[in-house]
């Protein structure tokens, strides 16, 4: 065990737009747990939503330590831990399935009935519970940086979305929404799947960035824009093979359906606010034989696949992280991200 202080600085979520940077006790670890010194924690659109709402129904209830995308160094291990040692650089996912329930047995581990979530990345140290240690924590290759590795969690969610959408090499995929997740969809669809990518966004600087990420065609979705006509024109009148909605706005869910070719697949990746209803054209769905799906979270296999993509250089922090701030500035960072929708990630260095 490395020398560890008894107390640490950490961000504590208390409620709606209420986060305090406090001195708290360093988490104690059990026989199967690991203590990690956080070297980089990345902001996430989900964290911004949690900050705005004060909670997440499934992932975090206040008061609680905050943050979930991280990489760092092992500084202590429980007596029953095997396969890891003090000093190793690791990335730990923010959840782990039970492996035994109905959904886990059907290889739908992201829907696990007892999905264990872990928070507390915005802190000097974080306890990694035994189940995550066993199923969803990985030693980093020497050339992979901490900020790069911390991208594995959101990247695994993106991979879940693309695999479920049955995207194939050479397909045309239209991506609505060009925040960090949308940009990740652009990069992976192009670099990993070899798809033709149509990027759809409201701001020119986001479209310019999407082009750098590999987007083949760009559409500005300003008020009154004929996005449907533009996509049809780019696809010989058919529409896209796959459409990803990465915002979570009902009107954009409706737009996404209209951008599909017959027999196409839409992935409603962006979650709309609780209680939202969306009206869809039943004639269009039925007679065009459209497939509507959504994807939630990730699985241990996809975390491994994400880390492999990062190791190969398909996804790097230089493309997705545009600010580095100390933990003491987290509140300012959250307010900035709330008022600058679509900005990329900030690396918080505790």
């Amino acid at each position: 065990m490395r020398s560890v202080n008894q107390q640490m600085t950490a961000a504590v979520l208390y409620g709606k737009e209420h986060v305090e940077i406090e001195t708290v006790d360093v988490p104690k670890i059990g026989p199967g747990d690991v203590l990690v010194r956080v070297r980089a924690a990345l902001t996430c659109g989900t964290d911004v939503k949690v900050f705005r709402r004060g909670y997440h129904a499934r992932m975090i209830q206040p008061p609680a330590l905050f943050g979930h995308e991280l990489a760092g160094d092992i500084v202590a291990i429980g007596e029953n831990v095997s396969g890891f040692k003090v000093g190793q650089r690791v990335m730990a996912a923010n959840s782990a399935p039970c492996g035994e329930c109905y959904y886990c047995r059907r290889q739908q581990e992201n829907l696990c009935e007892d999905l264990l979530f872990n928070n507390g990345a915005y802190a000097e140290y974080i306890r990694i519970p035994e189940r995550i240690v066993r199923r969803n924590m990985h030693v980093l290759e020497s050339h992979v940086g901490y900020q790069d590795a911390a991208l594995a969690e959101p990247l695994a969610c993106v991979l879940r979305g693309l695999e479920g959408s049955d995207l194939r090499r050479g397909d045309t995929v239209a991506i609505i929404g060009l925040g960090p997740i949308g940009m990740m969809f652009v990069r992976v669809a192009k670099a990993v799947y070899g798809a033709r990518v149509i990027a759809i966004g409201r701001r020119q600087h986001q479209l310019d960035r999407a082009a750098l990420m590999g987007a083949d065609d760009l559409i500005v979705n300003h008020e009154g824009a004929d996005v449907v006509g533009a996509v049809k024109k780019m696809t010989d009148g058919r529409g896209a093979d796959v459409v990803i909605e990465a915002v979570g706005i009902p009107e954009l869910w409706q737009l996404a359906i209209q951008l599909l070719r017959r027999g196409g697949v839409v992935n409603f990746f962006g979650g709309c606010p609780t209680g939202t209803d969306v009206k869809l054209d039943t004639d269009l769905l039925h007679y065009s034989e459209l497939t509507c799906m959504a994807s939630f979270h990730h699985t241990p296999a996809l975390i491994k696949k994400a880390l492999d993509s990062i190791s190969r250089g398909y996804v790097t922090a230089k493309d997705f992280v545009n600010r580095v701030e100390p933990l003491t500035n987290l509140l300012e960072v959250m307010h900035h991200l709330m008022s600058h929708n679509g900005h990329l990630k900030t690396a918080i260095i505790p």
Side-chain angles (χ1 to χ4, degrees):
M1 176 174 175
R2 291 187 175 181
S3 177
V4 177
N5 296 329
Q6 296 300 306
Q7 292 190 309
M8 67 177 185
T9 303
V12 183
L13 175 72
Y14 284 101
K16 184 177 180 180
E17 295 185 33
H18 186 186
V19 168
E20 299 285 347
I21 307 301
E22 300 180 353
T23 298
V24 301
D25 290 339
V26 171
K28 297 187 183 303
I29 61 172
D33 302 338
V34 161
L35 187 68
V36 169
R37 174 68 170 93
V38 179
R39 296 301 182 185
L42 303 185
T43 59
C44 168
T46 299
D47 287 344
V48 177
K49 289 180 182 178
V50 167
F51 177 70
R52 181 184 290 117
R53 299 171 185 171
Y55 72 99
H56 188 291
R58 297 196 63 181
M59 296 182 185
I60 182 171
Q61 295 287 339
L65 298 180
F66 191 30
H68 67 274
E69 296 180 11
L70 74 120
D73 304 327
I74 295 177
V75 294
I77 60 174
E79 59 191 38
N80 294 340
V81 173
S82 60
F84 296 99
K85 60 184 179 182
V86 171
Q88 288 179 319
R89 302 164 64 250
V90 295
M91 175 271 166
N94 65 326
S95 70
C98 71
E100 300 174 356
C101 71
Y102 174 86
Y103 295 99
C104 286
R105 293 196 305 270
R106 295 174 68 89
Q107 289 74 55
Q108 294 177 300
E109 295 168 302
N110 57 311
L111 303 179
C112 173
E113 294 172 348
D114 184 31
L115 193 58
L116 172 68
F117 286 101
N118 194 36
N119 293 283
Y122 299 136
E124 292 181 86
Y125 299 93
I126 184 172
R127 180 183 75 92
I128 310 301
E130 178 180 1
R131 190 195 294 179
I132 295 179
V133 172
R134 286 189 288 105
R135 306 203 64 188
N136 235 352
M137 188 172 80
H138 303 276
V139 177
L140 304 182
E141 296 185 49
S142 59
H143 68 281
V144 175
Y146 294 113
Q147 293 182 31
D148 296 323
L151 287 169
E153 192 275 335
L155 178 56
C157 295
V158 167
L159 291 173
R160 172 78 184 173
L162 290 173
E163 287 188 357
S165 304
D166 195 29
L167 184 66
R168 305 173 188 179
R169 183 165 295 275
D171 279 355
T172 295
V173 55
I175 298 167
I176 305 172
L178 299 176
I181 285 290
M183 291 294 181
M184 207 170 277
F185 269 111
V186 171
R187 170 54 61 85
V188 176
K190 183 51 124 182
V192 179
Y193 284 82
R196 177 193 177 190
V197 178
I198 300 173
I200 303 168
R202 295 186 181 276
R203 300 172 181 85
Q204 189 60 49
H205 72 87
Q206 292 177 309
L207 292 164
D208 293 340
R209 189 180 296 134
L212 294 175
M213 294 282 183
D216 300 280
D217 298 287
L218 310 172
I219 297 175
V220 182
N221 186 18
H222 55 72
E223 187 174 351
D226 183 11
V227 177
V228 176
V231 170
K232 296 282 188 181
K233 185 176 181 180
M234 292 172 180
T235 56
D236 297 324
R238 289 189 304 273
D241 300 293
V242 174
V243 177
I244 307 290
E245 197 281 351
V247 183
I249 296 177
E251 292 79 7
L252 294 181
W253 278 36
Q254 293 170 324
L255 172 64
I257 288 287
Q258 299 173 57
L259 302 182
L260 282 175
R261 67 164 172 81
R262 289 184 296 167
V265 178
V266 62
N267 188 317
F268 298 123
F269 188 90
C272 296
T274 300
T276 300
D277 291 322
V278 178
K279 293 183 179 180
L280 300 177
D281 185 334
T282 55
D283 279 354
L284 182 62
L285 292 174
H286 180 76
Y287 292 105
S288 293
E289 203 172 82
L290 303 182
T291 298
C292 299
M293 63 164 297
S295 54
F296 166 71
H297 207 50
H298 51 70
T299 66
L302 288 172
I303 290 288
K304 290 181 181 179
K305 188 171 182 177
L307 281 171
D308 180 65
S309 293
I310 290 167
S311 177
R312 293 170 182 267
Y314 294 141
V315 173
T316 63
K318 67 181 177 61
D319 293 322
F320 295 95
V321 178
N322 63 349
R323 292 179 65 187
V324 177
E325 297 286 348
L327 177 58
T328 50
N329 288 358
L330 180 64
L331 191 61
E332 182 273 329
V333 169
M334 285 292 147
H335 282 299
H336 175 81
L337 293 174
M338 282 178 62
S339 61
H340 292 75
N341 187 35
H343 273 227
L344 295 182
K345 291 175 173 288
T346 297
I348 302 297
I349 310 299

